[in-house]
Amino acid sequence: MNGSIIIAAGGTGGHISPGVALAEVLSEKANAFGYESVYIHSLVRNQNNPDLLNPPCQVIWHNIPQLGGLKTIVYPFLFLFPFIKTILLFRKLKINAVIGMGGYSSLPAILYAILFRKPLYLCEQNCVPGKITRVFSKFAKKIAFSFPIVDSFQIPGKIIGNPIRKRVIPEHLNIRQNENLHEGKKNTINVLVLGGSQGARQLNQMILKTMENAEIASKYKFRLLTGTNLYDETKQKANDGTEIISYANDMKPNYEWANLVVARSGAGVVAECLVFGLPMILIPYPFAADNHQKANAEYLEKQGAAVTIHSTSDDPTPLVKFLLSWKDHSEVLREMGHISLALSNVNAAYQTVSYFFSDSN
């Protein structure tokens, strides 16, 4: 055996969820690829992340400081002590391969791989590669992309798809939520609104204002996941026709209920919508690093699986326009859903692991 594998998956849920999906596969298949075991390396502040409450393997917690602000000058000193602890622990656990999921929290594991000449593999979730991928791509043995990266970046790798956790994967992949709409068996179109775990006030307010349109209220039913911090204020403003939920640990029933999704365009949410064959209205978070959400949304819009609203306000006008145009033309949603499904890869986790650790790839 070649020791163990560490998956550096900290930071945001967009890094953690696909890392956990890879850990699910490797916890069962590590021996088949010549390794003894697999670990997840994540930040202490992620201990309450839903994906890490019941992880498929042991999680090693660390507390590497975030780079930025006034700490920049003294950062090397703040970084050094926890990094030395990481090295000693990794040596003890016989870590002989590193998978970096992106974000600053993956830096200790990546530097360990480089310093001790261990195989380094990188996963890039977005169409615009993150700084970790851009800086360390030349040290990586292989890089897996979730989506095609924008043309301005020349980074070698393989487009596979964003790894999906087992508990999110549909049980019946042949079920198409929007077939019944096209056949006229369903009068109501279910709209799932996702602002992320922290919520998005812009999306919440936009939906509430959209529902003031009588034509839309008569045709569309909304389920709004507000985010825990924004639940109370949104609930107070909502009318009786809106289903308000703060957060859902189990997203599968919500995706199965939906015919259409309104969401930010983070790679994780987008990938999950794709495997359920869902059309999307994407409202990119304008302050995302390198504006990567904009690039993700534009890729999906170009393919025909989504439409994009570029806005920083809660003005419902563009959303109302889309919904009214589809009110009597649900075949448009059906076709968008087919394209969405065609862009998905429900087996991305296994294929990524196979790509990394099979010599033939």
Side-chain angles (χ1 to χ4, degrees):
M1 293 290 179
N2 295 323
S4 300
I5 302 167
I6 195 85
I7 300 173
T12 66
H15 301 304
I16 295 171
S17 293
V20 170
L22 296 183
E24 289 176 339
V25 174
L26 282 169
S27 63
E28 299 176 358
K29 303 289 185 181
N31 290 359
F33 293 110
Y35 290 88
E36 296 174 12
S37 55
V38 59
Y39 301 92
I40 293 173
H41 198 226
S42 193
L43 289 168
V44 172
R45 67 178 175 84
N46 294 136
Q47 287 182 333
N48 292 323
N49 181 283
D51 289 322
L52 296 176
L53 291 177
N54 187 25
C57 64
Q58 181 180 344
V59 180
I60 300 171
W61 305 105
H62 69 95
N63 202 20
I64 293 293
Q66 185 171 0
L67 180 62
L70 297 177
K71 293 181 179 180
T72 302
I73 297 176
V74 298
Y75 185 82
F77 302 98
L78 297 174
F79 180 88
L80 185 59
F81 179 68
F83 180 52
I84 291 174
K85 288 178 62 177
T86 295
I87 291 175
L88 295 176
L89 182 57
F90 281 15
R91 300 287 281 181
K92 181 180 179 180
L93 296 174
K94 300 178 182 178
I95 301 299
N96 282 337
V98 172
I99 301 176
M101 304 305 299
Y104 80 93
S105 67
S106 64
L107 189 57
I110 289 174
L111 291 179
Y112 170 86
I114 294 171
L115 289 174
F116 293 95
R117 299 185 178 183
K118 306 299 182 183
L120 172 64
Y121 307 94
L122 298 178
C123 286
E124 176 53 58
Q125 290 85 38
N126 298 295
C127 293
V128 176
K131 290 181 181 178
I132 288 293
T133 300
R134 300 198 301 265
V135 172
F136 295 105
S137 60
K138 61 184 177 181
F139 298 101
K141 186 174 181 180
K142 294 178 181 178
I143 303 175
F145 297 108
S146 294
F147 303 108
I149 60 174
V150 295
D151 293 337
S152 56
F153 294 95
Q154 301 297 321
I155 300 176
K158 184 176 182 179
I159 302 168
I160 298 176
N162 206 23
I164 304 292
R165 298 158 296 167
K166 289 181 179 178
R167 64 189 179 96
V168 181
I169 295 175
E171 294 180 11
H172 305 290
L173 297 179
N174 291 324
I175 297 296
R176 305 292 181 267
Q177 281 98 320
N178 291 318
E179 296 298 320
N180 54 359
L181 291 178
H182 182 60
E183 294 167 3
K185 297 178 182 178
K186 185 181 177 74
N187 292 322
T188 302
I189 299 175
N190 295 334
V191 183
L192 179 64
V193 186
L194 305 172
S197 59
Q198 300 303 310
R201 182 175 281 106
Q202 177 197 8
L203 268 64
N204 295 344
Q205 298 300 324
M206 185 183 293
I207 292 300
L208 296 182
K209 291 181 178 181
T210 297
M211 289 194 64
E212 294 174 2
N213 183 293
E215 286 188 81
I216 289 176
S218 67
K219 181 66 176 181
Y220 294 90
K221 180 176 176 58
F222 293 87
R223 179 178 293 179
L224 178 54
L225 273 66
T226 64
T228 304
N229 295 333
L230 301 176
Y231 174 78
D232 289 336
E233 72 170 57
T234 308
K235 183 70 173 178
Q236 291 175 0
K237 297 177 181 178
N239 60 36
D240 294 335
T242 307
E243 185 178 357
I244 306 294
I245 300 172
S246 62
Y247 183 73
N249 286 331
D250 184 5
M251 282 301 300
K252 187 187 295 186
N254 294 297
Y255 289 130
E256 291 174 340
W257 171 86
N259 304 111
L260 171 67
V261 170
V262 179
R264 296 299 194 195
S265 47
V269 168
V270 164
E272 291 175 0
C273 289
L274 292 179
V275 300
F276 282 87
L278 287 167
M280 290 165 270
I281 298 176
L282 298 174
I283 307 173
Y285 179 58
F287 307 109
D290 302 310
N291 212 5
H292 67 261
Q293 288 205 10
K294 178 176 181 288
N296 293 348
E298 289 177 345
Y299 164 71
L300 292 165
E301 184 173 46
K302 183 178 180 180
Q303 298 300 312
V307 295
T308 302
I309 297 174
H310 296 288
S311 174
T312 58
S313 77
D314 57 14
D315 177 12
T317 303
L319 178 58
V320 168
K321 181 179 178 181
F322 282 126
L323 295 179
L324 289 178
S325 70
W326 296 333
K327 184 172 70 74
D328 298 315
H329 297 282
S330 55
E331 69 276 5
V332 176
L333 295 178
R334 177 177 179 268
E335 181 57 29
M336 289 173 66
H338 285 177
I339 296 171
S340 183
L341 192 70
L343 294 174
S344 71
N345 184 359
V346 73
N347 296 313
Y350 178 77
Q351 291 177 11
T352 298
V353 168
S354 297
Y355 168 59
F356 285 163
F357 299 109
S358 295
D359 294 334
S360 59
N361 288 314

